[in-house]
Amino acid sequence: ACAAASYNSGSWPSQHKEARAALRYIHTRYPNNKVGVLGHSSGSSLASFLWATELIPDVEIDPNMIPPLGPYPSASLKIDAAVLMSGQFHPYPINTPPCTQAQVWNKTLDNSACEYNYTLGNYSAAQKVNPALYLSSFSTQAIVPAPAMIFHGTNDSLVSACNAVELAQAVENTSFPSSVSSKDYNYTVHLRLIQNASHGSYLETAYPIAATFLAKHLCPTFSSDAVAVGTSPHPLCK
C-alpha cells in the first residue's frame, strides 16, 4: 500500500507532529507490515526526520510535540527503509550553498567546507528538524538506523548538496557499541550524488533505483527481477 500524507504549512513542530501521527496511524492500520518513507525536497526533510527519530519520545524532541496528534499516541514509529531526495536536513540558508559543487563531488564524505557547528544544548527550532541530531540515539540501543538511500544533485542551487553529505557523514561518525558490526552502519546509508543534476532534474532516473531499494527492504519475497527498472517508479513484489 502507498500512503501520501498532506501536512500543515505552519512552522515547527506542526508538520513533524502530523508526520509522526500519520506514521502511527499506518502502523495501527497495517500492524504486520514493514513501512518505508520517501520524499523529495521538503518531503525529504520530513521523511529524514521520521527516519532518524524512531527511538525519540515526542517530549524529548520538543515540549510542543506533546500531546501527540492523532488517536494512536503509543503506536510504533518504526521505519524499515527511507529514500531521501534533495532534502534540506541542516539549517543551511536556502539558495546560498556554503560549499562549492566541486567540493561536494570530489570530497564526498570528507568535506570540511560543509560542516555546520551547533552550540550543544541550545538548539533552535530550525536545528531541531535536523535528523543528524538524533542519530546517536541508535547507538545507545546498540542498533543502527533503517537503511536509507540519499539522492542529491551536485548542481542544486536551491538546497545545497552539503545536506546529503553531512547526513551520510553523521551516520558514519556515530559511535555504535562494539556489539554492532561496522559493516551494519557502513551500509546503512547509500549516498548518491548525481553529478551536474539540479534540484529535481534527476528524479525520473532515480525513481526506478529507489523502487528497487525499497522493494529489497520492504517486500518479504523480493527478487531483483520483480522491478521493471526504467519503466515504473513502484516496487513490485512477487
Side-chain angles (χ1 to χ4, degrees):
C2 178
S6 298
Y7 57 89
N8 192 305
S9 60
S11 60
W12 162 271
S14 60
Q15 306 100 318
H16 301 79
K17 288 182 71 171
E18 291 172 21
R20 280 165 79 94
L23 180 58
R24 285 174 166 135
Y25 170 79
I26 290 170
H27 273 294
T28 303
R29 181 69 176 81
Y30 302 100
N32 299 316
N33 288 272
K34 292 185 176 182
V35 176
V37 291
L38 179 151
H40 172 256
S41 195
S42 60
S44 178
S45 301
L46 280 176
S48 68
F49 177 82
L50 291 176
W51 168 70
T53 60
E54 173 189 327
L55 304 175
I56 308 294
D58 297 283
V59 71
E60 290 186 22
I61 297 173
D62 191 276
N64 292 323
M65 297 286 276
I66 299 295
L69 290 179
Y72 308 107
S74 61
S76 174
L77 290 168
K78 183 172 175 54
I79 295 291
D80 295 287
V83 174
L84 313 173
M85 298 174 162
S86 301
Q88 185 178 23
F89 311 122
H90 284 230
Y92 289 125
I94 292 288
N95 289 321
T96 54
C99 56
T100 68
Q101 306 303 340
Q103 287 175 318
V104 172
W105 182 252
N106 294 328
K107 296 187 178 181
T108 57
L109 293 182
D110 184 23
N111 192 347
S112 59
C114 285
E115 291 181 358
Y116 191 102
N117 296 317
Y118 299 109
T119 302
L120 295 177
N122 187 30
Y123 301 125
S124 69
Q127 290 168 335
K128 287 177 181 178
V129 305
N130 176 11
L133 296 179
Y134 305 102
L135 289 171
S136 62
S137 65
F138 289 89
S139 67
T140 63
Q141 302 289 328
I143 60 176
V144 295
M149 182 169 282
I150 305 175
F151 293 89
H152 218 113
T154 60
N155 283 347
D156 191 331
S157 61
L158 180 63
V159 178
S160 171
C162 287
N163 286 274
V165 171
E166 282 210 0
L167 185 56
Q169 196 172 43
V171 176
E172 184 182 75
N173 292 340
T174 295
S175 299
F176 292 105
S178 57
S179 57
V180 177
S181 166
S182 61
K183 173 177 167 292
D184 292 334
Y185 58 83
N186 284 343
Y187 291 98
T188 292
V189 169
H190 306 258
L191 177 62
R192 288 177 173 261
L193 296 176
I194 315 299
Q195 195 168 20
N196 301 321
S198 62
H199 190 58
S201 63
Y202 63 87
L203 291 178
E204 185 175 352
T205 301
Y207 278 135
I209 300 171
T212 302
F213 176 80
L214 289 174
K216 176 182 177 181
H217 293 288
L218 303 179
C219 299
T221 56
F222 170 74
S223 162
S224 59
D225 296 333
V227 179
V229 176
T231 60
S232 172
H234 304 289
L236 306 173
C237 303
K238 288 184 176 179

